[in-house]
Amino acid sequence: IGGMIGVISRNGGMVGIVERIMPFARTPRRGQGVIALLGLSIFFDDYANTMIVGNATRPMSDKLRISREKLAYLVDSTAAPVSTIAVITTWIGFQLGLIDAAVKGVEGIDKTPFVLFLNSIPYSFYPLLAIFFVFLVIYTGKDFGPMYRAEVRARHTGEVKRSSTKASTDKSGDEFYHKETIACGAINAVLPIATTVLSVIIGLFISGEGETITDIIGSADPLGVLLWASLLGCFMAALLSLGRRLLTLDETIDAWLAGARFMMTGLVLLILAWAIGDVAAILQTAPYLISVLGDSLSPYTLPAVVYLLAGATAFATGSSWGVMAILMPLVIPLCWAVLQANGIADAEHMHILYSCIACVLTGAVWADHCSPISDTTVLSSLATGCDHMDHVRTQIPYALLGGIVALLIGVVPAGFGLPWFLLLPIAAIVLIVTHRILAKPVSPA
C-alpha cells in the first residue's frame, strides 16, 4: 500500500484529486469538510489514509489559509478512529487475530472472533465521538485553545505554519511530490485505490466460507486478501504510469520504493508489538492477573478500568497496536473470569465482554491521539508538513475532551447495562454543549 501511494503521488493522481475537489472547497469551512470526507472515504488503512489525505489536500489547505495544525488534526482524527471500527481494513486481521488467540484459551465463549468484534463496535465510543466532533468543529467554524490561535494566525496572516510566511514550495524531504512536467489526472489515483478496495471485498468473499455474510467474512483470510489486493493496486498504478507515459520505469520503481520506505517505521513497531505480546504469553501474565484480580474486580466497572489502562499504556508506548497486542490476550480471559466469579457469565451480561474488547481497541486509539511519540501522530505531522509538537499541542485538548466524554457518558454507564443507542446521542449532546461554551468563531480573513 505504501508503494502504491508513492506511485500515485508521483504520477499526479493525488494532485488530480485535489484539482477535482477544489471547486467544492471555495471557503475554509468547505475545504475542511472535503478533507474530513476524504479521510472517511479512505477507510482501509490509517497509514494509507494519513499519507494520501495529508499529502493530497495540503496545497488546497494552504490556498484556503487553513492552518497546518488544523489539517493535521483533521487527518489524524479521521484515520485511526475510522480504521479501528470499519469492517474491511488492515486493522481487522490484526484485531481478529488477537481476539481469536485470547478466546481459544477460554471455555464458555462460543462466538467467533468476528462476531465478538462486530458486537463491540457499538461500544466503541471514542472513535465514534471523535469523528462526530470533527464535523461539529467544521460545521460551527469554531475552535478553542491552541487550535483557535493557529486558525486565527493562518486566516489573517497567511502563515499556515508557525514561524513561516506563505506555504513553502520546497519539496526536500517530501517523498510524495508529483512530477511537474506531466498533466495531473484523478484517474491515476482513483483506479489503483478502487482496485485495492474492490479486491479486498471480493477476496474476503472468495476466501471465506459459510452461508451468511458474517460467517463468510469471519472465516476469511484477511492477511492473504490484503497482500493480493495491495499488489493488484500497485500493478494498476504502475500500468497507468507506464501506459500513459507519465513516468519511466526507473521513476515508477523509485516512487514505489519511496512509498515503501515510508512504512518501515510502522513495520518495526508492529514487529516489536508482536514480540511484547509473545513475552506476556510466555510469562503467563493473563493467568497471574486472573488469580490476583479475578475475585476482587467489579464486572460493571471493568470496562472503565480497561479503557484507562489501555489509554495509559498507549500514551507511554506510543503504539496502539502494541497496546492491543499486550492487553487483548489478558483482558478477555480476565473479563470472563470476573463474570464467572460473580455468576453472570451469561447472554444477558455479554455486553460487558463486548465493552471490554472495545475499550482495549478504543482506549489505545484515544491515547494514541494524545501521545507525542505515537506513530500515527508523527505520521500525520509528516504527511501534512506540520511541526510535530504544534500538532500534538493543538490536538490534545480535542482528544482529551472526546476521551473524557466517552469514558464518563459512554463506557461507565454501558458497563452497568445502559443501552449504547441512548448513551451515544447523550454523549454527542454533551460534546455540543461543551464546544459551544469553550469555542470561539474563527473570523474570515
Side-chain angles (χ1 to χ4, degrees), residues 198-224:
L198 290 175
S199 298
V200 169
I201 297 172
I202 295 170
L204 288 174
F205 276 91
I206 292 175
S207 64
E209 298 177 354
E211 297 180 356
T212 65
I213 294 178
T214 301
D215 293 337
I216 292 171
I217 297 181
S219 62
D221 175 23
L223 175 60

Side-chain angles (χ1 to χ4, degrees), residues 5-306:
I5 296 165
V7 175
I8 63 179
S9 297
R10 194 73 58 86
N11 69 16
M14 293 292 94
V15 177
I17 291 177
V18 173
E19 291 176 348
R20 285 293 185 93
I21 63 178
M22 273 300 292
F24 303 98
R26 296 189 181 93
T27 66
R29 188 167 79 167
R30 286 189 178 185
Q32 293 175 42
V34 167
I35 295 167
L37 289 174
L38 283 174
L40 294 182
S41 63
I42 304 175
F43 57 87
F44 53 89
D45 182 74
D46 60 328
Y47 280 13
N49 183 313
T50 301
M51 287 189 287
I52 290 174
V53 179
N55 284 282
T57 59
R58 193 164 52 188
M60 176 195 71
S61 174
D62 292 348
K63 184 176 181 179
L64 296 173
R65 292 191 173 190
I66 299 170
S67 67
R68 291 287 179 86
E69 291 92 332
K70 174 60 79 66
L71 175 61
Y73 162 70
L74 296 174
V75 169
D76 204 354
S77 294
T78 54
V82 177
S83 297
T84 194
I85 58 176
V87 177
I88 302 174
T89 69
T90 53
W91 287 48
I92 190 161
F94 180 69
Q95 292 169 331
L96 292 183
L98 295 176
I99 296 172
D100 183 44
V103 169
K104 280 181 179 177
V106 179
E107 295 183 1
I109 302 178
D110 55 357
K111 298 184 182 297
T112 65
F114 187 70
V115 172
L116 291 173
F117 172 76
L118 287 181
N119 284 311
S120 74
I121 291 177
Y123 298 94
S124 301
F125 293 103
Y126 175 73
L128 296 171
L129 292 177
I131 296 169
F132 171 78
F133 195 67
V134 164
F135 287 95
L136 175 65
V137 170
I138 294 171
Y139 176 76
T140 60
K142 296 180 179 180
D143 289 287
F144 61 88
M147 187 70 79
Y148 172 78
R149 294 189 289 273
E151 283 289 271
V152 169
R153 181 202 69 225
R155 294 288 197 284
H156 291 272
T157 68
E159 294 182 0
V160 294
K161 293 177 66 176
R162 188 165 59 91
S163 302
S164 70
T165 54
K166 302 289 183 178
S168 173
T169 58
D170 179 21
K171 295 185 176 65
S172 60
D174 184 4
E175 299 283 10
F176 299 102
Y177 64 89
H178 75 280
K179 187 178 177 182
E180 296 182 348
T181 57
I182 60 176
C184 299
I187 194 70
N188 299 331
V190 171
L191 276 181
I193 294 172
T195 299
T196 302
V197 175
L198 290 175
S199 298
V200 169
I201 297 172
I202 295 170
L204 288 174
F205 276 91
I206 292 175
S207 64
E209 298 177 354
E211 297 180 356
T212 65
I213 294 178
T214 301
D215 293 337
I216 292 171
I217 297 181
S219 62
D221 175 23
L223 175 60
V225 169
L226 286 166
L227 286 173
W228 280 107
S230 59
L231 181 63
L232 290 174
C234 288
F235 279 142
M236 178 60 71
L239 287 174
L240 284 171
S241 301
L242 296 172
R244 305 182 72 183
R245 299 184 178 180
L246 302 172
L247 303 174
T248 65
L249 181 60
D250 287 344
E251 288 172 335
T252 302
I253 294 174
D254 181 65
W256 191 94
L257 291 174
R261 281 196 299 269
F262 212 63
M263 301 294 288
M264 283 305 298
T265 301
L267 294 177
V268 172
L269 286 170
L270 182 56
I271 292 170
L272 293 176
W274 285 335
I276 293 173
D278 288 343
V279 169
I282 293 171
L283 293 178
Q284 299 291 304
T285 310
Y288 172 74
L289 288 178
I290 291 172
S291 66
V292 174
L293 303 174
D295 297 328
S296 58
L297 283 176
S298 166
Y300 306 107
T301 59
L302 184 58
V305 173
V306 171

Side-chain angles (χ1 to χ4, degrees), residues 302-320:
L302 184 58
V305 173
V306 171
Y307 182 79
L308 292 173
L309 180 60
T313 310
F315 185 85
T317 62
S319 172
S320 55

Side-chain angles (χ1 to χ4, degrees), residues 109 116 119-120 123 297-307 331-332 334-340 342-360 411-418:
I109 302 178
L116 291 173
N119 284 311
S120 74
Y123 298 94
L297 283 176
S298 166
Y300 306 107
T301 59
L302 184 58
V305 173
V306 171
Y307 182 79
V331 166
I332 290 180
L334 177 62
C335 177
W336 195 248
V338 170
L339 292 177
Q340 288 179 323
N342 289 269
I344 55 174
D346 50 38
E348 184 181 351
H349 295 87
M350 282 294 285
H351 67 275
I352 297 177
L353 177 61
Y354 301 148
S355 186
C356 284
I357 292 173
C359 286
V360 172
V411 175
V412 173
F416 286 91
L418 271 71

